[in-house]
Amino acid sequence: MVTAGAMPRVVGGATVDLADVQGNILRGYRKARVRHLVVCVTDARRGRAWIAAASARDAMDGARITDGGDWSRPPDTCFNVGLTATGMRALGVPDRIVRTFPAPWQQGMAARATIIGDWGDSDPAHWHARYRDSVSLHLIVSLHADTTALLDEIERAAMALPGGDALRIIGRDEGHRFEGGAVHFGYRDNIAQPRFEGITHPGKYDDQPRAPLGTILLGYDTDMQELRWSLPDPAVLGFNGAFNAYRVLEQDVAGFEAFLDRAADEVLRSPDADELLPPGSDSDVGGGGATRRAAMREVVAAKLMGRWRNGTPLSVSPAHPSQPGVPTNDFDYVDDPQGLKCPYGSHIRRGNPRGGKIVQRVSNHTRRLVRRGFPYGPPYDPARPDTIERGLLGNFLCANLEAQFEAVMYDWLNLGLLDPRLLGSNDPLVGVNDETAGWFRLPTRQGTIILRGIPRLVRTRGGAYTFLPGMSALRWIGSFQG
Amino acid sequence: MNALIGWFKHILGRVVVRVWSWLHPTTPLPGGPRTSRQLTDNVMRTMNLVMPLKDKTAIGRARAALVIGSSLDEIYSGLDNVGTVHVARFCIVDNNLLMFSLYDGDFHTYIRDFIVTLGHAFDAVVELIEDTPPTPCWLHVDEFIEWVHRHDALQLPDSPGDLIELVAPGLTNLEDLSRYLVLQLDSNPNVQLGSYRSYPGHSVAEVREKLGVGW
């Protein structure tokens, strides 16, 4: 067992003191609702008092930052805190210390817009006001519970802690689970997560290599041979912490469904249509009584994602989505170099190429992210079209924003550098597409169908790079005397 | 007489530049390529590392030649594994060890993958350089990348508009451009003036695939 008071660098077969790690990093809370509070700290001393109270070992359970320790009785409400660089300064942590953190976090998400594809109508200038003013964006306080009443309760309790008067809530993002774990484009989400060495219970692993703890936490070995991420100074501030790219991603559901209509018609006109949707399989693919066009829409949706909308991976079940008992995460692309089962340009293959062949051959498993997402806004009803904003509140957690989140966004999802057949294309679902230029390769045994005119389906509406300090680090901040 | 005038201009130039730089302190611009949304700017990017040797004698240069020479196989194999490097070469010019390369994608990713694949070999190389970064470099990756970034020469844009935007963003009088440029080059003596690419917009992997040599 390693505690934060011990040597803050753990190598070889490391275990971690989960009670020193914020719970939302390594635990999926599985609550029905989330509320992210965007908070400005108005007084450094009082703000530190709040951090101290919220992270104190003897704090009341409901108003204490949730750690990942004892999970024998999961709490009804969970409460976590991420700090921006301006937030750490606003709490009175000296600039000389903040400057020992990695540059992307210091600069903030908006300053990295070009790298992560936030341009055009995703440009920070178009973000919600609470995210545009990065000077006032200090904390993201994340609350999880099964009901709105419980969220209200934990919010009141958290803000009533000593020093809570120094926190000004400048915005709230509310998310809630949809039935079956689906998100707005209709896909089941939150399926594939990295499994960490020494964390997951035996028997729960998929076929992917277990990720070293340094993939998600500072202070541990990484997946890059002997390479390790630097800890800030003092090391206690970084140890057991993780970085989070928090994103408010608006999804254009109507645009997505309209694209599926167009793409299905195009594929149906192709000589390869019967290979992709064998005659007689319309009901297996599209559900009972589905038309051929409706079934082909589902084929296209699956090819874009790499999974059928019910979560079944194409790599496991390329012909249809309904195979009970099919593992949802136990597959690889090694046996599918041509992308005949799962296209090499599909969303899940670009974001995590697993063991498949890629150009950057030392990077296959090194950019894993823990993803925790909730839909926001009401489900889209095509019978009653509306213009209500809806999308995903996404948390993309990692130990190094530049080497993991930004590298995935920059050269896998948007540049297509991982495969020469993809260069110059963007991810079909979340990429920076433009209807006049976006394209997607749909490989078949006879050749390739190129779907053109892919619109931009996801737009960034806000976000922040935050650091989720370990519990000892929070107590260090709380007790900092300036 | 001409020699005297030339000498006078030389001295005057040095004095004027010192006065200018005292009146207008200029922060050296970072080296390497700038972020861009264009595909053609994101592949076949250039890196021009200029690393002053500690030992500026023939013995020092010979030591550098031997260290690089004895590591070449490992370095070539490492660059091959990075997967995004078109060409790379090492030279010694005027007591500087130079590493020039053409690569695809993000600079930080390139250097990070470079360390992962041949960090051991590069540790011996950086020991030859004046301001050695903390070693071993794979344990100080952020510092190492920053060190490489500092030694990567400033890249002056090809187009005049971009040049103004870079070296004189607040320029109101075009006649002042040369002064801004002189001040920048005073604080930033190593620069790339242009780079020709015969197949812009193509990655290493694309070229290798087309040539049938595997990627």
Side-chain angles (χ1 to χ4, degrees):
Chain A
M1 188 69 75
V2 176
T3 66
M7 180 71 177
R9 171 75 77 195
V10 185
V11 296
T15 56
V16 59
D17 178 6
L18 290 173
D20 195 50
V21 180
Q22 290 204 51
N24 55 342
I25 299 173
L26 292 168
R27 305 249 183 224
Y29 287 155
R30 302 183 187 282
K31 302 294 184 194
R33 292 184 172 273
V34 70
R35 178 178 297 164
H36 299 290
L37 307 177
V38 183
V39 171
C40 173
V41 177
T42 57
D43 179 90
R45 189 180 57 81
R46 300 287 296 152
R48 290 199 301 275
W50 184 82
I51 293 281
S55 60
R57 288 189 175 87
D58 56 356
M60 285 186 307
D61 275 354
R64 184 180 188 273
I65 291 171
T66 309
D67 65 55
D70 181 8
W71 218 251
S72 54
R73 275 188 59 238
D76 292 335
T77 56
C78 301
F79 158 32
N80 294 97
V81 178
L83 283 68
T84 64
T86 51
M88 202 172 276
R89 289 191 188 95
L91 288 166
V93 177
D95 193 54
R96 67 180 158 75
I97 292 177
V98 176
R99 284 178 177 278
T100 64
F101 278 80
W105 178 76
Q106 285 187 54
Q107 293 167 7
M109 184 178 280
R112 313 284 287 184
T114 304
I115 296 169
I116 57 179
D118 285 343
W119 64 72
D121 48 10
S122 286
D123 188 284
H126 302 304
W127 290 2
H128 292 305
R130 55 189 176 276
Y131 296 107
R132 280 203 305 271
D133 180 11
S134 58
V135 176
S136 304
L137 203 173
H138 296 157
L139 311 178
I140 302 282
V141 176
S142 299
L143 311 172
H144 291 76
D146 280 328
T147 65
T148 306
L150 280 171
L151 285 179
D152 292 342
E153 194 178 299
I154 181 68
E155 180 182 330
R156 272 196 302 273
M159 293 302 135
L161 288 169
D165 56 328
L167 306 189
R168 182 164 57 87
I169 298 172
I170 56 178
R172 287 179 176 81
D173 295 326
E174 305 265 357
H176 57 285
R177 296 236 181 272
F178 291 169
E179 204 169 317
V183 291
H184 279 294
F185 289 157
Y187 299 99
R188 197 180 139 205
D189 196 19
N190 286 328
I191 299 170
Q193 299 285 5
R195 306 294 181 189
F196 294 100
E197 287 174 351
I199 300 293
T200 314
H201 295 298
K204 280 193 172 178
Y205 297 125
D206 51 45
D207 205 28
Q208 292 194 78
R210 280 174 286 172
L213 279 168
T215 310
I216 184 72
L217 295 176
L218 290 185
Y220 299 84
D221 279 355
T222 71
D223 211 359
M224 297 176 150
Q225 297 196 16
E226 295 170 275
L227 184 148
R228 295 179 207 155
W229 308 127
S230 304
L231 283 164
D233 185 12
V236 65
L237 198 47
F239 189 58
N240 281 337
F243 290 97
N244 182 20
Y246 173 61
R247 311 272 283 162
V248 180
L249 302 169
E250 182 182 8
Q251 292 175 263
D252 179 2
V253 183
F256 175 63
E257 296 297 333
F259 176 71
L260 290 184
D261 285 339
R262 276 191 285 123
D265 290 341
E266 195 176 328
V267 176
L268 283 169
R269 286 194 296 272
S270 150
D272 300 336
D274 287 354
E275 179 193 324
L276 293 165
L277 182 65
S281 65
D282 298 354
S283 292
D284 285 347
V285 170
T291 63
R292 187 155 179 76
R293 183 177 188 246
M296 189 58 91
R297 289 175 90 258
E298 293 309 306
V299 170
V300 173
K303 293 288 185 183
L304 297 177
M305 172 58 84
R307 291 181 186 270
W308 299 95
R309 293 212 232 199
N310 71 358
T312 304
L314 283 176
S315 294
V316 175
S317 178
H320 53 81
S322 50
Q323 275 202 353
V326 166
T328 52
N329 201 30
D330 196 1
F331 62 92
D332 208 329
Y333 305 117
V334 176
D335 63 345
D336 187 21
Q338 299 306 318
L340 295 176
K341 288 192 282 187
C342 180
Y344 38 78
S346 65
H347 174 67
I348 65 166
R349 192 162 173 171
R350 289 179 83 125
N352 177 15
R354 300 184 180 229
K357 183 179 180 182
I358 60 169
V359 169
Q360 300 129 311
R361 23 197 182 275
V362 297
S363 299
N364 278 76
H365 297 287
T366 62
R367 301 182 180 180
R368 302 294 312 273
L369 301 164
V370 170
R371 301 168 303 113
R372 310 235 183 263
F374 272 83
Y376 73 93
Y380 182 76
D381 180 356
R384 293 194 182 90
D386 62 51
T387 55
I388 297 170
E389 185 184 323
R390 51 174 59 81
L392 186 86
L393 305 175
N395 291 285
F396 303 91
L397 297 143
C398 57
N400 190 298
L401 288 165
E402 198 169 54
Q404 294 170 264
F405 175 72
E406 291 187 347
V408 169
M409 293 297 294
Y410 169 77
D411 63 19
W412 284 0
L413 294 184
N414 279 327
L415 183 57
L417 201 59
L418 71 169
D419 188 312
R421 297 165 293 189
L422 294 176
L423 190 77
S425 71
N426 301 311
D427 183 277
L429 296 175
V430 304
V432 192
N433 284 305
D434 172 341
E435 203 156 353
T436 60
W439 52 268
F440 177 78
R441 284 179 186 271
L442 207 170
T444 68
R445 275 189 288 277
Q446 313 304 318
T448 302
I449 300 170
I450 299 181
L451 299 176
R452 298 189 189 279
I454 297 182
R456 188 164 194 166
L457 299 169
V458 174
R459 293 173 178 80
T460 310
R461 285 290 166 259
Y465 281 162
T466 63
F467 180 62
L468 304 173
M471 299 301 290
S472 300
L474 287 165
R475 287 191 281 274
W476 185 92
I477 294 170
S479 62
F480 186 70
Q481 294 301 310
Chain B
M1 188 60 183
N2 283 343
L4 189 63
I5 291 171
W7 178 84
F8 184 71
K9 281 171 118 174
H10 175 71
I11 293 296
L12 189 63
R14 292 178 76 101
V15 171
V16 166
V17 170
R18 291 277 63 78
V19 172
W20 276 353
S21 65
W22 178 70
L23 289 172
H24 301 282
T26 302
T27 307
L29 290 165
R34 279 162 292 286
T35 54
S36 169
R37 301 168 188 180
Q38 302 300 321
L39 169 66
T40 46
D41 293 334
N42 282 292
V43 290
M44 278 202 99
R45 306 177 113 187
T46 52
M47 183 180 80
N48 311 289
L49 289 192
V50 182
M51 301 174 281
L53 290 170
K54 271 181 197 162
D55 183 346
K56 299 182 194 308
T57 67
I59 293 172
R61 293 192 291 276
R63 185 177 295 126
L66 290 172
V67 167
I68 295 289
S70 63
S71 307
L72 278 182
D73 285 348
E74 196 177 348
I75 290 173
Y76 292 169
S77 152
L79 289 169
D80 214 30
N81 277 324
V82 168
T84 52
V85 183
H86 293 254
V87 294
R89 67 184 190 276
F90 292 89
C91 317
I92 295 173
V93 176
D94 198 16
N95 289 316
N96 293 296
L97 176 62
L98 310 181
M99 179 185 175
F100 289 168
S101 64
L102 287 173
Y103 65 95
D104 299 326
D106 178 61
F107 168 81
H108 296 81
T109 303
Y110 164 41
I111 300 302
R112 200 174 299 111
D113 288 354
F114 183 77
I115 297 168
V116 170
T117 55
L118 49 85
H120 292 82
F122 218 69
D123 270 352
V125 176
V126 299
E127 291 295 339
L128 303 164
I129 310 305
E130 264 181 3
D131 60 337
T132 310
T135 52
C137 53
W138 63 90
L139 293 184
H140 304 275
V141 60
D142 294 328
E143 294 98 317
F144 182 76
I145 292 173
E146 187 48 42
W147 182 86
V148 173
H149 197 39
R150 276 203 311 276
H151 288 79
D152 196 0
L154 170 66
Q155 299 188 6
L156 290 182
D158 293 353
S159 84
D162 290 343
L163 178 68
I164 292 170
E165 182 69 29
L166 182 72
V167 301
L171 188 71
T172 51
N173 181 355
L174 197 57
E175 288 179 1
D176 290 339
L177 176 61
S178 55
R179 181 162 57 88
Y180 280 106
L181 186 58
V182 167
L183 287 172
Q184 184 53 236
L185 296 191
D186 181 51
S187 63
N188 216 336
N190 303 313
V191 289
Q192 173 185 291
L193 302 176
S195 68
Y196 168 75
R197 293 171 292 177
S198 62
Y199 46 92
H202 293 285
S203 68
V204 175
E206 275 190 313
V207 175
R208 291 181 66 95
E209 188 195 31
K210 296 277 186 235
L211 294 174
V213 294
W215 52 275

